[in-house]
């Protein structure tokens, strides 16, 4: 974007002048005594205590309520690989959402590298300053390895929101859609359009939540994923664990007789393919700003429609998940985020509106103040159940 495209009168640019966040002190600094307690000489006693017992950092520093929001700028929103500096407004936005919805302090970290080894090394080096790591807008497939390696190396939660935040909210929405339609998750035939970060995580999360993997068909840009194709990495894993019927072809074939379409690809899906779904179906067309199927088109053929947009009902928005997930993980001082914690988060989100379901309200509003506390409580309980909590 050139400077000629900047309009200082535009309310978006006006809001972003000077950035969207700042650091504020939580203690008074109005007297010599205040200074001696907050800094030298008093602070040395706290440093010595932490040096003797590093776990005390949880009690006497900000790490128990602070996460790093880390990106390499390679997959920012729908803008693609725009780099770390251009990604910073998004990371600031993510940080203020953490604070607004869950009281979690977050620091944007935009790394000027897209090398996996360098990203992992940088985050490992920064990790002592934080209680958790939120990976953001890192493109597939590198995001899978970055998260795996950091999860193995660090004693704090590591969570790639583009994968797991989306997946958690999708599971919550599908639970409620199935309940509304008097269906069971295990009976649903599901087609997933997209095998990138979100598509892989959504598939795994749905299976963890009760969908039968044999009833799942995943498509990438080349068509249905299955054993008939030569694949590596996460796609090879999908080929081994889904598509039990051995279907081949494109998204139209994947949708033939399907009960559910989860679109996380950005590719357009023809109306004729949606028309081939089973009666009373469910479509989550989550590409933003242009859904894979226009919601009004999808509504001609299915019973429940969700998108990633705020101007249509049933917005599948990650903000329903990540603030509460990290709040709960931090409250439990969890060492990692387990599948059980993610499923618990999805159940909590679904439960917020479980008593008032309609076809246009299968998930709460992103602004619903009940969501983050419910998710946090459920995640903390699950952390203790799963044996990863330190309190």
């Amino acid at each position: 974007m050139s400077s000629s495209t900047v309009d200082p009168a535009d309310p978006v640019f006006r809001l972003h002048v000077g950035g969207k966040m700042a650091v504020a002190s939580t203690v008074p600094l109005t007297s010599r005594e205040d200074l001696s307690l907050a800094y030298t000489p008093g602070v040395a006693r706290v440093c010595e205590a932490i040096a003797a017992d590093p776990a005390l950092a949880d009690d006497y520093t900000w790490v128990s309520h602070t996460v790093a929001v880390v990106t390499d700028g390679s997959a920012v929103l729908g803008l693609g690989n725009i780099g770390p500096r251009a990604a910073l407004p998004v990371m600031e936005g993510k940080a203020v959402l953490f604070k607004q919805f869950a009281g979690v302090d977050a620091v944007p970290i935009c790394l000027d590298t897209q090398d996996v080894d360098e990203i992992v090394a940088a985050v490992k080096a920064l990790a002592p300053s934080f209680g958790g790591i939120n990976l953001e807008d890192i493109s597939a497939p590198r995001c899978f390895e970055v998260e795996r390696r950091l999860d193995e190396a660090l004693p704090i939660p590591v969570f790639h929101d583009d994968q797991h935040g989306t997946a958690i909210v999708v599971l919550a929405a599908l639970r409620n859609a199935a309940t509304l339609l008097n269906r069971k998750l295990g009976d649903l035939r599901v087609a997933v359009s997209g095998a990138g970060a979100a598509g892989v995580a959504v598939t795994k999360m749905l299976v963890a939540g009760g969908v039968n993997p044999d009833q799942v068909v995943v498509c990438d840009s080349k068509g249905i994923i299955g054993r008939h194709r030569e694949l590596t990495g996460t796609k090879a894993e999908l080929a081994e664990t889904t598509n039990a019927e051995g279907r081949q072809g494109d998204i139209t074939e994947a949708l033939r007789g399907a009960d559910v379409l989860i679109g996380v690809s950005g590719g357009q899906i023809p109306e004729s393919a949606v028309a081939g779904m089973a009666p009373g179906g469910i479509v989550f067309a989550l590409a933003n700003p242009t859904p894979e199927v226009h919601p009004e088109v999808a509504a001609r053929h299915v019973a429940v429609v969700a998108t990633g947009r705020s101007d249509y009902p049933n917005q599948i928005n990650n903000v329903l998940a990540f603030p509460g997930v990290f709040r709960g993980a931090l409250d439990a001082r969890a060492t990692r985020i387990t599948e059980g914690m993610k499923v618990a988060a999805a159940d909590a989100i679904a439960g917020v509106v479980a008593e008032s379901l309609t076809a246009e309200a299968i998930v709460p509003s992103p602004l619903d103040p009940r969501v983050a506390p419910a998710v946090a409580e459920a995640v903390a309980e699950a952390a203790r159940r799963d044996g990863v909590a330190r309190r």
Side-chain angles (χ1 to χ4, degrees), residues 62 91 95 140 234 242 275 302 307 329 381 391:
W62 75 345
M91 302 310 116
T234 55
T242 63
V302 300
T307 72
E381 289 178 2
R391 79 169 188 183

Side-chain angles (χ1 to χ4, degrees), residues 80-389:
N81 188 357
I82 61 174
R85 190 174 295 273
L88 186 53
V90 178
M91 302 310 116
E92 286 185 0
K94 195 67 176 281
V96 298
L97 293 175
F98 267 115
K99 188 66 173 180
Q100 176 69 28
F101 293 110
V104 172
D105 292 293
V107 178
I109 305 290
C110 297
L111 299 175
D112 193 12
T113 178
Q114 296 182 357
D115 177 84
V116 170
D117 291 338
E118 292 181 356
I119 294 170
V120 170
V123 177
K124 286 171 63 177
L126 289 165
S129 294
F130 301 99
I133 306 295
N134 183 98
L135 301 174
E136 187 76 14
D137 291 350
I138 299 174
S139 65
R142 77 166 63 86
C143 62
F144 302 120
E145 185 177 358
V146 168
E147 183 184 49
R148 178 186 61 78
R149 288 172 57 179
L150 289 172
D151 196 41
E152 292 173 354
L154 298 178
I156 57 176
V158 177
F159 184 85
H160 185 207
D161 187 47
D162 301 301
Q163 294 183 62
H164 310 301
T166 300
I168 287 168
V169 184
V170 166
L171 176 58
L174 190 58
R175 279 205 190 288
N176 278 346
T179 298
L180 184 67
L181 300 176
N182 198 27
R183 307 288 299 275
K184 295 181 179 179
L185 287 186
D187 296 334
L188 296 175
R189 292 161 292 177
V190 179
V192 179
S193 177
V200 171
V202 163
T203 301
K204 291 181 177 180
M205 182 93 292
L206 293 182
V207 171
V211 172
N212 183 349
D214 292 345
Q215 297 273 63
V216 177
V217 176
V218 183
C219 289
D220 64 8
S221 60
K222 296 181 180 178
I224 292 175
I225 290 174
R227 297 182 182 182
H228 60 284
R229 291 174 54 185
E230 292 187 9
L231 299 162
T232 59
T234 55
K235 290 185 181 182
E237 294 176 19
L238 290 175
E240 292 296 321
T241 56
T242 63
N243 190 18
E245 295 179 2
R247 290 196 184 192
Q248 301 183 31
D250 60 11
I251 187 63
T252 298
E253 172 60 22
L255 284 174
R256 183 172 53 81
D259 301 298
V260 181
L261 163 63
I262 309 291
V264 281
S265 66
Q268 293 299 288
I269 297 174
E271 181 175 358
S272 58
V274 179
M277 295 176 65
I282 300 164
V283 166
F284 295 173
L286 306 183
N288 219 341
T290 306
E292 290 85 354
V293 183
H294 194 283
E296 293 174 9
V297 172
R300 298 172 191 159
H301 305 283
V302 300
V304 177
V305 179
T307 72
R309 293 175 51 142
S310 60
D311 54 347
Y312 287 96
N314 297 325
Q315 184 187 17
I316 306 299
N317 191 323
N318 290 14
V319 77
L320 291 168
F322 69 81
V325 168
F326 270 98
R327 179 77 272 168
L330 291 169
D331 289 346
R333 294 188 181 165
T335 56
R336 56 189 295 264
I337 294 175
T338 65
E339 288 298 301
M341 292 161 73
K342 293 179 229 174
V343 171
D347 290 345
I349 294 167
V352 169
V353 292
E355 301 302 317
S356 57
L357 292 178
T358 69
E360 295 191 341
I362 57 170
V363 288
S365 161
L367 299 174
D368 191 321
R370 299 173 295 172
V371 176
V375 172
E377 181 179 356
V379 166
E381 289 178 2
R384 298 181 185 106
R385 264 195 321 269
D386 290 349
V388 297

Side-chain angles (χ1 to χ4, degrees), residues 42-51 60-61:
V43 72
R45 291 165 55 191
V46 180
C47 295
E48 290 172 337
I50 293 172
Y60 296 107
T61 74

Side-chain angles (χ1 to χ4, degrees), residues 51-66:
D53 181 3
L56 290 175
D58 288 336
D59 296 312
Y60 296 107
T61 74
W62 75 345
V63 298
S64 63
H65 56 85
T66 306

